[in-house]
Amino acid sequence: MRLKVILPKVEPDVYDMPEECPYGCGGKYFKPHGVRGEWKPLRDPKYDEVVSYRYKCIRCGRSFRVYPRGVGPGPQSDRLKGMSVFLYVLGVSYGGVEDFTGALGCGIGKTTVYNNVQASGEEARQRQRHTVQQGGKRAVIGADATSVRVQGETVGIEVVVDDATGELLGLEIIVSESSTEIIEVIKTVAESVAAEVLVSDDHGAYQEVVDETGLEHQLCRHHVKENVEDLADALAEQVTHAADPPAESDLTPEQLTDDLDQLRDLVRHRPPDGETQLEQLYDRYKGVPKPPPGERYSVWYRMRMLITRLWDRWRCLTVDQRRDDLDGTNNAAERLIGWWIKERYRLMRGYKREASIKNVVTLTARMGAAEGYYDMSELFA
Ligand SMILES: [Zn+2]
């Protein structure tokens, strides 16, 4: 996956006056304080120094400095900060960024690089929260989970995305096995964006979310297709050396093999009469008794369970056939995890703490999911 970004610029002759007094007194009028500007040394690939000017707030009488666009009170320009963050996201280590900026003649230490990355990540998270709160309705959201290693421990990450654009809407670190945290992050996003549909795999937590929120549930049709096909293969194998069908039924191994083919066809093509077909299949197997406790499930009983399960989920497998704003897969969430968590994680050689995961993942996902070029200036505004 490519990252296309625009680095912040330094414009040494452009000065933006604050709209309100930086001390928060509410004053809007300022007068120059001292006539000449002062040179300020700058760490930047292009400019070694810029001029700052002092102003005085007419209302509260306090003075402040105004710097050229792309420069703040600190020694680094926004461009240099942006470069260091971009290099890190591309996979250069903190020490590597130190070496590279040193070679450019505007070196920053690796602790500064780390701080730049974390500060940009915090800013990206704030902007993401703002996007979710103010960004209007998103009818379809997708959720998925993954895990990474943090200092030798496995840490789960739950993500919620806009199914249409792939934009990251929510991210939570999942420490316990319980579903509570998963439910919480999805609920929060769903409410803020007035979601109508949740796309996910078959994990139990998602069922709880839709039960609690009343969201429509689309099970990722790729997942279900794969699961059903795998199970069909296993049953087709099992039936070749299976015990006889239950005495009171007229089931045969040939019938079961045919029915498995029908199930494969159903999940592949999802025909309009799918529910009816499943009902008929269910009728054929509903008399198969559950084996007594401790006994292995017969192929006949496993077939009964497979059909029941699929019939039960059919409506969740076909939401995309009743709406025109989703494709029925969880690709958006999976892509985000693949590109911006798994791939970047590998490059970035492990995270040191959980907050850092949130910062870095939100940052890279925001950079990566942006349409066209991502303007990094928003991170340093
Ligand atoms: Zn003031």
Side-chain angles (χ1 to χ4, degrees), residues 137-141 194-198 214-217 323 325:
K137 184 177 172 65
R138 323 261 183 155
V140 186
I141 57 174
E196 294 167 16
V197 181
L198 171 69
L215 286 166
E216 255 200 288
H217 195 191
R323 301 174 61 112
D325 55 355

Side-chain angles (χ1 to χ4, degrees), residues 20-30 56-62 64:
E20 273 197 12
C21 170
Y23 296 101
C25 77
K28 286 185 173 150
Y29 300 98
F30 318 106
K56 194 172 189 169
C57 172
I58 307 258
R59 178 178 269 192
C60 71
R62 282 178 284 189
F64 57 90

